[in-house]
Amino acid sequence: MPHPIDVYRPKFEEMIFALRPRSVLDVGCGQGAFLGRAAARGIAATGIDVREDRVSVCREAGLDVRCAEADRLPFEDGSFDCVSMALVAHHLPSLRSALAEALRVGRRGVFAIDPWYDETIPSQRSKAELERWMKRVDRKKGGVNNGPLTAGDFVDTLGDTDCTVEICHRLLLRGETLADAGEKYASQLDGLDTTTPFRDELDALLERAATTGLTTDGAIMLAITR
């Protein structure tokens, strides 16, 4: 059974394709799966990623990909019709700077999708709390991992930018076992010099989740268009 994010992603891409762009930039393109799908539709697709190994994989596949940071895009103003940011926003050092850059190079709009949780649902609230814990652990280890991000987090970065923002939340509720969650989150502690405070917090969160249950990630999708 596919992970919910694999169900949300095609719907996100259709938001972009519905605009009938002639060109698109994918920020944080990974190994280029979206670039390939865009190219198959006749769209001129370009990607950036901060990891040189991913850039190499994409180039070997014949894709136009460069190694670059989201807040310093190596492109002229209005170089693309659209900019895509799929599951990268929470890994950006500055969402404000990255969105400003995306809007600078994207003539018609910027599209973003990121994990989201409906915290009015107890099982989702427990999952969101575990995700916040995991992100704090990741930051302790030197990573960049923020959120879970809300619509307000995105909108607040736009200031007085003249654009229209369409926000869509999607949630396919599917249960997660406590045993799988415990194993997944405990593995985040690998590599820490001292794990005791984080371990105690994790135990408390898992104890709470035992009463509420856990459900998988939802998604927030935004279309920021001119």
Side-chain angles (χ1 to χ4, degrees), residues 179-207:
D180 287 346
E183 181 178 352
K184 169 188 171 182
Y185 288 105
S187 69
Q188 300 296 319
L189 296 172
D190 295 344
L192 278 183
D193 292 336
T194 175
T195 63
T196 302
F198 287 112
R199 170 67 69 178
D200 291 344
E201 292 172 10
L202 176 59
D203 289 344
L205 290 172
L206 290 172
E207 183 177 352

Side-chain angles (χ1 to χ4, degrees), residues 162-173:
D162 185 15
C163 59
T164 298
V165 183
E166 179 182 351
I167 301 166
C168 177
H169 293 94
R170 299 195 63 84
L171 180 59
L172 177 62
L173 278 177

